[in-house]
C-alpha cells in the first residue's frame, strides 16, 4: 500500500471514531417506502425524531426508530462522561440505499409468468452534536 493511500485510510479511520453511526443491512422493505420515513427525521433533533417515529403508522418507522436508538447508544458508549441532553444530538445524515433483490415468478394469464422483485435496503444513520466539546473526547 502506498504512503498516500495509507495516510488517507488512517485519516478516514480517525474521522469515523469521532462520529456515532448505526447501520441496518438487508432490511426487507423497499427503499422507496423507507426513504419516505427517513425524510421525516433528517436534520431533526434526536428527541423530536424519536417522537415522530414512535407515532408514525408506517411499518418502516419502527425499524428506523430501533436503528436511531442504536445510534444513540453507540454515541453514549463513545462519550461515556458526556450528558445526552446537553450534547444536543441531531440526525446529521440518514441514507437509504438499495440492497439485494429476490426475484420470484408469479403466474400470469395465458400461461405466462411475471417477475416479482422483492426489494431490500440498507439504512445508515449518522448523529451529530451541536455542542462540539463533547466530540473531542
Amino acid at each position: 500500500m502506498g504512503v498516500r493511500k495509507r495516510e488517507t485510510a488512517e485519516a478516514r479511520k480517525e474521522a469515523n471514531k469521532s462520529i456515532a453511526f448505526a447501520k441496518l443491512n438487508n432490511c426487507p422493505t423497499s427503499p422507496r417506502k423507507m426513504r419516505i420515513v427517513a425524510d421525516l427525521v433528517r436534520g431533526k433533533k434526536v428527541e423530536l425524531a424519536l417522537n415522530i417515529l414512535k407515532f408514525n403508522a408506517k411499518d418502516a418507522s419502527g425499524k428506523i426508530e430501533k436503528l436511531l436508538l442504536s445510534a444513540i447508544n453507540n454515541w453514549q458508549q463513545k462519550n461515556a462522561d458526556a450528558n445526552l441532553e446537553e450534547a444536543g444530538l441531531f440526525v446529521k445524515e440518514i441514507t437509504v440505499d438499495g440492497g439485494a433483490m429476490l426475484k420470484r415468478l408469479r403466474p400470469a394469464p395465458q400461461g405466462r409468468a411475471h417477475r416479482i422483485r422483492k426489494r431490500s435496503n440498507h439504512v445508515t444513520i449518522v448523529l451529530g452534536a451541536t455542542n462540539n466539546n463533547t466530540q473531542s473526547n
Side-chain angles (χ1 to χ4, degrees):
M1 183 183 297
V3 175
R4 229 178 325 154
K5 195 172 185 181
R6 183 173 52 243
E7 288 174 354
T8 57
E10 289 172 359
R12 194 178 315 117
K13 285 181 186 175
E14 286 298 318
N16 282 341
K17 286 181 183 177
S18 66
I19 61 172
F21 67 97
K23 290 180 76 172
L24 173 64
N25 287 331
N26 296 321
C27 181
T29 308
S30 73
R32 183 177 180 180
K33 292 177 184 177
M34 192 67 85
R35 281 187 194 110
I36 292 171
V37 178
D39 290 340
L40 293 174
V41 297
R42 185 176 286 120
K44 302 273 195 288
K45 293 215 176 269
V46 169
E47 296 86 7
L48 180 61
L50 284 173
N51 285 335
I52 290 171
L53 293 172
K54 186 175 183 177
F55 295 109
N56 195 348
K58 293 194 174 289
D59 184 49
S61 63
K63 296 172 184 175
I64 291 184
E65 180 185 8
K66 190 172 179 181
L67 186 66
L68 181 59
L69 289 172
S70 176
I72 293 168
N73 205 358
N74 291 342
W75 182 86
Q76 286 178 335
Q77 288 178 358
K78 282 186 179 183
N79 305 307
D81 56 342
N83 191 0
L84 183 64
E85 289 80 19
E86 293 175 0
L89 285 181
F90 67 100
V91 180
K92 183 176 183 180
E93 186 179 326
I94 180 167
T95 59
V96 180
D97 301 321
M101 195 180 314
L102 299 175
K103 294 176 181 171
R104 302 290 183 255
L105 293 177
R106 174 83 29 106
Q110 298 181 355
R112 295 186 180 95
H114 289 162
R115 181 173 289 174
I116 302 296
R117 295 175 299 189
K118 297 186 176 188
R119 301 171 187 267
S120 66
N121 61 56
H122 309 307
V123 185
T124 306
I125 292 183
V126 178
L127 297 182
T130 56
N131 192 358
N132 290 333
N133 61 5
T134 59
Q135 289 290 342
S136 63
N137 291 336

